[in-house]
């Protein structure tokens, strides 16, 4: 690719079609997908309900501005909040959802400081990048948004940094890009309690962990948390660009007419897709995800005995296989591509797996066996 900025290190093949959990490239080679387009196509490719909803909407109207009523936005918002007393702001991506959360937190509290965590990832725009705990991502872009500080994830000492002068604390329940680092449930509850005690808004970034990925609509439900603001994107419309910021209704008065907005956000096409996604995210479906995760648990545990593996982490179908430094994760990813499996990496030489949630236990087991055999081949 000669006419595109070289911001991405691309693998030298192009996926051109996909159905179910299988992707086909421009040479006609098939791959079992353990990426979901980085946690996006959670319901697989050419999901019948989503195809039908989007095709139907294509024939009606693609885009209306936010100057008008939009019943699909209302329907998606209702599916997102359920019975809770919450409101939704739609955006086009995860970074924008976090940007909205940062703006809302400052405006609603009248405070400016935000605490984030090392190894977090919240996006690439100025606000979300400034809240991202990865120096490599911020390098060369200073000055960043001021008044944002960082503490260590899962560290009880970090609770001391949650003080009444904070507008918000933002975190992921499982740090995704940062290496599939699972938040300790007790620590997460302590963070929430300290936020409540200090009048600090508690923001949970569910861009990667949400929409069924861990077997819950949002991963925080599995830990019993009650965040003030939640952000979602990636899997929300199964591949059409959409983000959402969900906040407690009491925050609504800080986001009145004209305070924030976006031209494309929440347009009928993306909302038709999001609605079809959320309708399929039933309690039965989420239970199936948890059951699948349980069933592959034994196979995953076997990985920990491999000399090239230091540990395995994750929840639901969000999995991190942590490799020793002498086996670069990209070598494994490339070798697996040759064997017809697509996988991802994360910080810390982590092999990250985000298969579509609709993948059968048989396909999950077969893919994991190929990955296991590949890691055995790299031993010694
Ligand atoms: C991917 C991701 C983002 C950024 O989402 P974009 O849609 O790429 O802007 C933010 N937070 C988390 C946790 C993510 O995984």
């Amino acid at each position: 690719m000669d006419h595109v900025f070289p911001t991405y290190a691309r693998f030298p093949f192009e996926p051109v079609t996909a159905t179910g959990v299988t992707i086909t490239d421009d040479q006609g080679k098939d791959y079992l997908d353990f990426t979901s387009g980085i946690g996006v196509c959670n319901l697989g490719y050419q999901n019948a309900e989503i195809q039908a909803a989007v095709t139907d909407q294509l024939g009606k109207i693609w885009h209306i501005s936010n100057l008008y009523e939009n019943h699909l936005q209302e329907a998606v918002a209702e599916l997102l909040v359920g019975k809770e007393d919450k409101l939704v702001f739609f955006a086009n991506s995860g970074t924008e959802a976090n940007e909205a959360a940062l703006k809302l937190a400052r405006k609603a509290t009248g405070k400016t400081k935000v605490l984030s965590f090392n190894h977090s990832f919240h996006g690439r725009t100025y606000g979300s990048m400034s809240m991202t705990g990865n120096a490599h991502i911020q390098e060369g872009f200073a000055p960043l948004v001021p008044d944002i500080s960082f503490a260590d994830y899962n560290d009880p000492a970090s609770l001391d940094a949650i003080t009444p002068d904070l507008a918000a604390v933002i975190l992921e329940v499982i740090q995704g890009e940062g290496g599939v680092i699972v938040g300790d449930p007790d620590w997460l509850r302590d963070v929430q309690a300290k936020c409540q005690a200090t009048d600090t808004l508690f923001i949970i970034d569910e861009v990667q962990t949400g929409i069924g990925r861990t077997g819950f609509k949002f991963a925080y439900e599995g830990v019993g948390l009650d965040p003030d603001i939640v952000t979602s994107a990636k899997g929300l419309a199964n591949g059409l660009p959409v983000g959402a910021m969900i906040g407690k209704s009491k925050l609504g008065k800080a986001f009145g007419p004209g305070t924030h907005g976006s031209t494309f956000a929440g347009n009928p096409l993306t909302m038709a897709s999001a609605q079809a996604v959320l309708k399929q995210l039933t309690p039965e479906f989420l239970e199936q995800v948890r059951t699948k995760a349980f069933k592959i648990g034994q196979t995953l545990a076997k990985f920990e005995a491999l000399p090239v593996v230091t540990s395995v982490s994750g929840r639901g179908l969000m999995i991190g296989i942590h490799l020793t430094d002498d086996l670069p994760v990209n070598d494994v990813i490339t070798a697996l591509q040759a064997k017809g499996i697509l996988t991802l990496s994360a910080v810390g030489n982590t092999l990250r797996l985000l298969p579509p949630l609709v993948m059968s236990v048989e396909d999950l087991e077969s893919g994991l066996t190929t990955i296991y055999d590949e890691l055995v081949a790299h031993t010694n």
Side-chain angles (χ1 to χ4, degrees), residues 77-157:
E78 206 177 323
L79 285 163
L80 278 171
V81 307
K83 290 187 170 51
E84 293 183 279
D85 188 19
K86 291 183 172 179
L87 298 168
V88 180
F89 174 84
F90 288 105
N92 308 287
S93 64
T95 201
E96 284 178 49
N98 286 328
E99 206 68 34
L102 173 61
K103 287 180 74 173
L104 177 61
R106 284 186 168 174
K107 196 146 200 292
T109 61
K111 299 186 274 187
T112 61
K113 292 184 181 169
V114 173
L115 180 73
S116 180
F117 292 92
N118 295 316
H119 300 297
S120 61
F121 182 79
H122 299 297
R124 302 275 195 166
T125 55
Y126 262 93
S128 62
M129 172 179 65
S130 300
M131 297 191 293
T132 288
N134 179 334
H136 175 68
I137 283 172
Q138 298 176 339
E139 202 180 299
F141 296 120
L144 301 176
V145 173
D147 287 356
I148 295 168
S149 57
F150 295 88
D152 286 334
Y153 193 73
N154 273 343
D155 182 359

Side-chain angles (χ1 to χ4, degrees), residues 38-40 42 121 153 171-177 180-183 204-223 230-236 281 286 289 314-319 352 354 357:
I38 317 190
V40 171
N42 287 1
F121 182 79
Y153 193 73
L171 56 73
E172 299 151 87
V173 172
I174 302 170
Q175 293 187 323
E177 302 301 312
V180 194
I181 302 166
V182 179
I204 297 189
D205 177 344
E206 292 267 3
V207 170
Q208 190 162 152
T209 48
I211 316 301
R213 179 52 55 189
T214 70
F216 296 89
K217 184 163 75 176
F218 294 116
Y220 75 77
E221 295 169 3
V223 192
V230 178
T231 56
S232 178
K234 290 202 164 88
L236 182 51
L281 222 62
L286 295 169
V289 175
R315 286 274 186 280
L317 293 179
M318 178 167 182
I319 300 157
R352 180 171 41 143
L354 298 172
L357 307 177

Side-chain angles (χ1 to χ4, degrees), residues 35 48 85 104 151 158 171 174 226 228-229 240 257 260 272 309 376:
T35 70
D85 188 19
L104 177 61
S158 297
L171 56 73
I174 302 170
D226 177 29
D228 300 293
I229 298 174
L240 289 185
H260 194 40
V309 173
V376 169

Side-chain angles (χ1 to χ4, degrees), residues 23-319:
I23 290 178
T24 307
D25 76 6
D26 48 355
Q27 306 296 309
K29 183 176 166 64
D30 286 341
Y31 303 86
L32 190 58
D33 181 29
F34 275 72
T35 70
S36 307
I38 317 190
V40 171
C41 303
N42 287 1
L43 298 181
Y45 303 88
Q46 303 204 32
N47 174 281
E49 281 91 338
I50 303 171
Q51 297 282 107
V54 173
T55 306
D56 177 60
Q57 193 57 43
L58 263 176
K60 289 180 178 164
I61 191 164
W62 300 13
H63 174 81
I64 58 172
S65 91
N66 283 308
L67 296 170
Y68 307 103
E69 291 283 314
N70 183 330
H71 76 280
L72 284 167
Q73 274 187 20
E74 179 63 19
V76 173
E78 206 177 323
L79 285 163
L80 278 171
V81 307
K83 290 187 170 51
E84 293 183 279
D85 188 19
K86 291 183 172 179
L87 298 168
V88 180
F89 174 84
F90 288 105
N92 308 287
S93 64
T95 201
E96 284 178 49
N98 286 328
E99 206 68 34
L102 173 61
K103 287 180 74 173
L104 177 61
R106 284 186 168 174
K107 196 146 200 292
T109 61
K111 299 186 274 187
T112 61
K113 292 184 181 169
V114 173
L115 180 73
S116 180
F117 292 92
N118 295 316
H119 300 297
S120 61
F121 182 79
H122 299 297
R124 302 275 195 166
T125 55
Y126 262 93
S128 62
M129 172 179 65
S130 300
M131 297 191 293
T132 288
N134 179 334
H136 175 68
I137 283 172
Q138 298 176 339
E139 202 180 299
F141 296 120
L144 301 176
V145 173
D147 287 356
I148 295 168
S149 57
F150 295 88
D152 286 334
Y153 193 73
N154 273 343
D155 182 359
S158 297
L159 297 173
D160 295 340
I162 304 172
T163 46
D165 56 342
L166 288 184
V169 168
I170 183 166
L171 56 73
E172 299 151 87
V173 172
I174 302 170
Q175 293 187 323
E177 302 301 312
V180 194
I181 302 166
V182 179
D184 170 26
D186 286 330
W187 180 77
L188 290 167
R189 286 189 281 264
D190 287 348
V191 168
Q192 174 172 292
K194 193 76 190 281
C195 284
Q196 284 166 353
T198 55
D199 247 325
T200 300
L201 293 174
F202 185 33
I203 305 172
I204 297 189
D205 177 344
E206 292 267 3
V207 170
Q208 190 162 152
T209 48
I211 316 301
R213 179 52 55 189
T214 70
F216 296 89
K217 184 163 75 176
F218 294 116
Y220 75 77
E221 295 169 3
V223 192
L225 299 172
D226 177 29
D228 300 293
I229 298 174
V230 178
T231 56
S232 178
K234 290 202 164 88
L236 182 51
N238 211 61
L240 289 185
V242 68
M245 178 199 62
I246 304 154
K248 290 191 172 167
S249 293
K250 64 177 184 199
L251 300 169
K253 49 185 184 303
F255 249 24
T259 49
H260 194 40
S262 165
T263 299
F264 291 132
N267 83 24
L269 205 57
T270 62
M271 289 295 105
S273 185
Q275 185 183 34
V277 168
L278 292 171
K279 276 188 181 167
Q280 292 178 73
L281 222 62
T282 59
E284 296 74 37
F285 179 89
L286 295 169
E287 162 124 47
Q288 278 168 25
V289 175
R290 298 198 294 272
T291 303
K292 286 177 192 180
F294 178 76
K295 286 191 172 157
I296 62 170
Q298 275 195 332
T299 305
L300 277 173
K302 281 200 318 189
F303 280 76
E304 296 204 309
L306 290 171
V308 294
V309 173
T310 57
S311 64
V312 176
S313 65
R315 286 274 186 280
L317 293 179
M318 178 167 182
I319 300 157

Side-chain angles (χ1 to χ4, degrees), residues 11 34-35 176-180 303 308-311 319-338 341-353 371 374-375 378:
F11 294 110
F34 275 72
T35 70
E177 302 301 312
V180 194
F303 280 76
V308 294
V309 173
T310 57
S311 64
I319 300 157
I321 300 170
H322 305 270
L323 306 178
T324 52
D325 289 342
D326 51 343
L327 177 56
V329 65
N330 267 321
D331 293 358
V332 176
I333 290 173
T334 311
L336 286 170
Q337 285 169 356
I341 310 254
L342 298 184
T343 56
L344 296 162
S345 64
V347 168
N349 209 33
T350 305
L351 183 67
R352 180 171 41 143
L353 308 179
I371 296 168
E374 185 56 39
L375 293 178
H378 279 282

